[in-house]
Amino acid sequence: DGGITQSPKYLFRKEGQNVTLSCEQNLNHDAMYWYRQDPGQGLRLIYYSQIVNDFQKGDIAEGYSVSREKKESFPLTVTSAQKNPTAFYLCASSLQSMNTEAFFGQGTRLTVV
Amino acid sequence: SQKIEQNSEALNIQEGKTATLTCNYTNYSPAYLQWYRQDPGRGPVFLLLIRENEKEKRKERLKVTFDTTLKQSLFHITASQPADSATYLCALDNDYKLSFGAGTTVTVRA
């Protein structure tokens, strides 16, 4: 089945640790995105990539890093520089970066303990 | 600054009635607008896309309008059912990426 897969579903991080969230798609989509969602708020864009080996900062990139070495993979690292990382993280992909629907993964809930 | 505003209050309606959700935007010039459904703890699911040169789009019991002069989209769920209970998000294209509103939570009572 084609789709977009995020793992893990739940993640706990100690303060000061870096953690990496996985996002894989087998839809052959060029564009991929990472969003953060906090309770009662909309999705805020962290990073996006329109093509392999290229990515751009979104609205809230500070404290996060990404890579796009393969078309199907777009991992997100939450670094210790992110002061308030507890949130619901959503990865999405789309065939092109404009004018097409986005497909979302099931999300990763990150909690700092 | 850029803003996307959806109904701030949750919407509670009786089964069979029509739910109408509003999405207003400022300082955007979107070529298209999308609507998504999100259930608790899950990722959003695409529902409809409407382009700037389209006034109205329908899909089964869903209808979307797009008024670029008013900078507003309306999303209608007709003959609502309890299974329609969810949060609905509008999204605008914004320079090769999608920007989302905070969403409106709809609860349909049986």
Side-chain angles (χ1 to χ4, degrees):
Chain A
D1 286 334
I4 180 164
T5 302
Q6 289 186 243
S7 62
K9 188 169 183 179
Y10 298 97
L11 187 57
F12 296 91
R13 189 193 95 169
K14 291 182 181 178
E15 287 196 23
Q17 276 185 339
N18 293 354
V19 290
T20 297
L21 283 59
S22 170
C23 179
E24 303 276 332
Q25 54 98 359
N26 60 3
L27 300 166
N28 200 31
H29 284 172
D30 289 311
M32 296 188 74
Y33 312 84
W34 274 105
Y35 289 91
R36 168 181 172 142
Q37 189 173 34
D38 293 283
Q41 296 193 34
L43 280 63
R44 291 185 291 166
L45 184 65
I46 304 172
Y47 270 97
Y48 64 104
S49 169
Q50 295 173 259
I51 197 166
V52 175
N53 292 322
D54 187 44
F55 50 82
Q56 286 80 38
K57 292 181 179 180
D59 301 316
I60 55 165
E62 186 175 350
Y64 301 97
S65 66
V66 294
S67 62
R68 187 86 187 276
E69 297 175 1
K70 298 187 294 183
K71 187 175 187 178
E72 58 270 23
S73 179
F74 192 40
L76 173 75
T77 296
V78 184
T79 74
S80 57
Q82 170 49 238
K83 296 307 177 189
N84 186 22
T86 295
F88 189 48
Y89 290 87
L90 288 159
C91 179
S93 70
S94 62
L95 187 59
Q96 303 161 15
S97 55
M98 290 186 69
N99 216 19
T100 57
E101 67 183 275
F103 292 78
F104 282 83
Q106 290 304 297
T108 292
R109 190 166 299 280
L110 174 63
T111 304
V112 173
V113 296
Chain B
S1 62
Q2 293 179 316
K3 286 185 187 177
I4 303 172
E5 295 178 307
Q6 298 189 240
N7 306 56
S8 56
E9 299 293 324
L11 202 58
N12 290 286
I13 61 170
Q14 186 71 38
E15 183 176 9
K17 301 293 186 184
T18 296
T20 298
L21 283 62
T22 303
C23 176
N24 294 300
Y25 59 91
T26 54
N27 293 321
Y28 285 95
S29 298
Y32 62 94
L33 185 147
Q34 302 184 26
W35 283 89
Y36 289 78
R37 169 186 173 136
Q38 187 176 24
D39 291 290
R42 302 180 72 89
V45 174
F46 172 80
L47 296 174
L48 281 166
L49 180 152
I50 186 166
R51 293 176 175 79
E52 59 179 340
N53 60 349
E54 298 175 317
K55 296 295 182 188
E56 183 179 296
K57 203 88 171 271
R58 291 175 186 261
K59 178 183 176 183
E60 298 173 352
R61 295 183 294 108
L62 306 179
K63 185 178 88 170
V64 172
T65 62
F66 190 12
D67 189 325
T68 56
T69 301
L70 291 179
K71 296 186 183 300
Q72 180 183 78
S73 174
L74 298 179
F75 177 82
H76 306 271
I77 308 171
T78 59
S80 60
Q81 304 168 0
D84 295 327
S85 298
T87 297
Y88 293 86
L89 305 167
C90 74
L92 311 180
D93 76 291
N94 177 25
D95 195 21
Y96 298 99
K97 54 190 184 288
L98 272 180
S99 294
F100 284 81
T104 299
T105 298
V106 174
T107 302
V108 181
R109 304 187 308 274

